[in-house]
Amino acid sequence: MYLTSEEEKMYQGQYGPAVQKSMEILVALGDIYQAEKMVEITSAQISGVSYKTIGDAGLEFLEEMAQSARVRVPSTLNPAGVDLDHWQELGFSKEFTKRQLRIVAAYQKMGITTTCTCTPYLASNLPILGSHIAWSESSAVCYANSVIGARTNREGGPGALSAAICGRTPLYGYHLESGRKASTVVEVKTELKGADFGALGYLVGKEVGGGVPYFQMINKPGPNDLKSLGASLASSGSVALYHVQDITPEYHLAMRGLEVGDVELMTVEESDIREVREKLSSSPRKPDLICLGCPHASLDEVGEVASLLNGKNLDNDLWVCTSILVKAAADRMGYTDAIEKAGGKVVTDTCMVVAPIEELDYQVIGVNSAKAAIYVPSMCGLEVVYDDLENLLYFK
Ligand code: F3S
């Protein structure tokens, strides 16, 4: 793989052991994927933050890296295992939180912004069309490639951290024009709303695996619908990029140069969506905790919850997961107050999957995210109900 003289210096250890180790990781990745060279990046988003997922080995690795490593490009963190400010009132243990705070401190020492969110594009880390970036949260990767039109592979935590430290990533896959072509045309023959978008993503992700779906839809999805669609495409399959005809920025390039027979065809009917929605629920019981914000809620999603709750009293616990930046705006808009008055909480920095919610006293979690419906049973060992927001809320 070709390295510039600056990259060669990193590789040879002239910038210290942390940079050297990072460049070694990038070169190894480049060799595996047959990248010819590196490309400079403008942004990084790093997963591997929750103590629940990385444990003591991850914590020790990060503390060692933080001795000397510093990032070269604006970089943000994925969600952590607790709300960094309100962990105690949510019931998380001191022991877990102590280790979690050490992980976040190590990242911060490396110069990474500790916004701890999977929707960095709503919280100060917003790349521009065509820019090369190294992101690792799969739903954010899908959003960045598809809705923003930036270019990233599905990085692992160490790959994204190495890219942030070196300011480069190997040039292959979704960084190249050739990696961004459609592989399957998906004709959606029914109008979608709410949790239907997650169900569609689940269905198509399972079918296309790591392919690039090209959707033809009756309705025009908004940013929150696309966020939800991408998250489930990336969870049931390993989709990193999709196109929506007439909506996403590169849809007109997705088919260019392709021959008949280069793409598969798939049709989705109303009955397919209904079937997936039923399948994604693992319990018929009333949820005792509703968790919204997977991926982390946008300000208008928090506002929608606030208006549904206004003046009412919840009969189940409720977390609306989001970033600290969106919460600050929600506080000012009075949304947080309305949600808290009804008995819910606006939770920052974490989510229902990467937090140790299995240690709290809940059995059934209500979600409107297909990604959460996939991961809560496997990562937390709890049952889920998957439905539209309005159907999940119970009032006294
Ligand atoms: Fe984000 Fe957690 Fe869902 S990291 S995408 S809210 S599983």
Side-chain angles (χ1 to χ4, degrees):
M1 171 176 198
Y2 168 77
L3 296 182
T4 62
S5 60
E6 175 71 355
E7 290 157 3
E8 196 62 49
K9 281 186 201 163
M10 295 183 198
Y11 192 66
Q12 295 303 337
Q14 291 188 30
Y15 293 104
V19 174
Q20 184 176 31
K21 193 186 278 181
S22 301
M23 189 46 98
E24 280 170 4
I25 291 172
L26 296 178
V27 169
L29 279 172
D31 284 344
I32 292 168
Y33 293 102
Q34 297 171 343
E36 285 179 8
K37 56 180 184 174
M38 298 283 171
V39 63
E40 292 193 19
I41 57 164
T42 55
S43 156
Q45 192 265 349
I46 295 147
S47 64
V49 184
S50 170
Y51 177 66
K52 174 175 163 176
T53 54
I54 69 168
D56 287 320
L59 166 59
E60 279 159 30
F61 167 78
L62 291 168
E63 286 188 332
E64 193 195 318
M65 287 293 280
Q67 299 294 325
S68 60
R70 298 295 175 267
V71 295
R72 290 190 177 211
V73 294
S75 306
T76 55
L77 281 191
N78 218 31
V82 296
D83 182 319
L84 300 180
D85 300 321
H86 303 286
W87 56 271
Q88 218 152 7
E89 63 187 78
L90 289 165
F92 295 117
S93 76
K94 245 191 205 145
E95 218 28 61
F96 183 97
T97 305
K98 215 168 81 190
R99 289 183 160 82
Q100 183 61 71
L101 294 176
R102 278 173 57 193
I103 291 170
V104 173
Y107 277 123
Q108 189 165 344
K109 199 168 165 194
M110 289 187 245
I112 299 164
T113 306
T114 55
T115 35
C116 297
T117 181
C118 50
T119 53
Y121 44 88
L122 300 175
S124 85
N125 189 352
L126 177 60
I128 57 172
L129 180 73
S131 55
H132 295 278
I133 62 176
W135 284 18
S136 52
E137 156 55 35
S138 67
S139 69
V141 163
C142 224
Y143 196 94
N145 274 322
S146 316
V147 184
I148 299 168
R151 297 179 171 213
T152 177
N153 288 315
R154 275 169 68 115
E155 301 291 348
L161 179 59
S162 301
I165 289 168
C166 297
R168 282 143 175 89
T169 194
L171 184 68
Y172 71 94
Y174 298 97
H175 289 282
L176 302 171
E177 212 67 61
S178 56
R180 304 179 70 82
K181 300 289 176 198
S183 66
T184 306
V185 173
V186 184
E187 189 187 353
V188 185
K189 296 183 112 170
T190 176
E191 284 212 46
L192 306 173
K193 65 174 193 49
D196 292 342
F197 285 96
L200 174 67
Y202 177 88
L203 191 68
V204 175
K206 269 216 163 324
E207 185 69 28
V208 306
V212 179
Y214 177 100
F215 291 96
Q216 295 171 326
M217 292 188 190
I218 297 172
N219 47 334
K220 288 196 181 308
N224 295 324
D225 303 323
L226 295 172
K227 169 161 82 73
S228 169
L229 173 67
S232 54
L233 282 167
S235 312
S236 68
S238 52
V239 173
L241 165 67
Y242 63 89
H243 303 283
V244 183
Q245 190 166 298
D246 296 327
I247 300 282
T248 55
E250 292 180 71
Y251 84 89
H252 56 290
L253 301 173
M255 302 284 218
R256 194 174 286 173
L258 296 182
E259 310 269 332
V260 181
D262 285 347
V263 285
E264 305 278 324
L265 296 177
M266 181 179 176
T267 305
V268 177
E269 311 274 355
E270 196 258 333
S271 56
D272 300 319
I273 298 288
R274 208 174 338 117
E275 209 176 289
V276 171
R277 287 183 62 134
E278 279 162 20
K279 191 172 158 190
L280 282 169
S281 286
S282 62
S283 173
R285 290 154 63 196
K286 174 186 149 199
D288 37 23
L289 172 68
I290 309 300
C291 281
L292 308 172
C294 172
H296 272 178
S298 61
L299 183 61
D300 48 316
E301 286 177 312
V302 182
E304 190 192 345
V305 180
S307 73
L308 281 170
L309 296 186
N310 209 0
K312 298 187 177 144
N313 258 328
L314 278 165
D315 198 24
N316 23 34
D317 285 358
L318 167 72
W319 292 4
V320 184
C321 300
T322 191
S323 68
I324 186 97
L325 277 89
V326 167
K327 169 140 189 311
D331 290 351
R332 177 172 288 179
M333 292 298 290
Y335 300 158
T336 308
D337 199 39
I339 291 168
E340 286 178 355
K341 276 196 178 122
K345 291 190 168 76
V346 178
V347 172
T348 62
D349 310 312
T350 189
C351 80
M352 63 300 271
V353 171
V354 298
I357 53 168
E358 60 279 12
E359 290 172 12
L360 309 178
D361 197 18
Y362 297 113
Q363 309 297 320
V364 184
I365 311 297
V367 297
N368 62 350
S369 154
K371 174 170 180 174
I374 295 167
Y375 283 116
V376 165
S378 58
M379 296 268 300
C380 311
L382 301 172
E383 293 188 276
V384 283
V385 174
Y386 177 65
D387 211 334
D388 291 322
L389 166 60
E390 326 55 283
N391 301 335
L392 292 170
L393 303 169
Y394 288 69
F395 299 105
K396 286 179 186 154

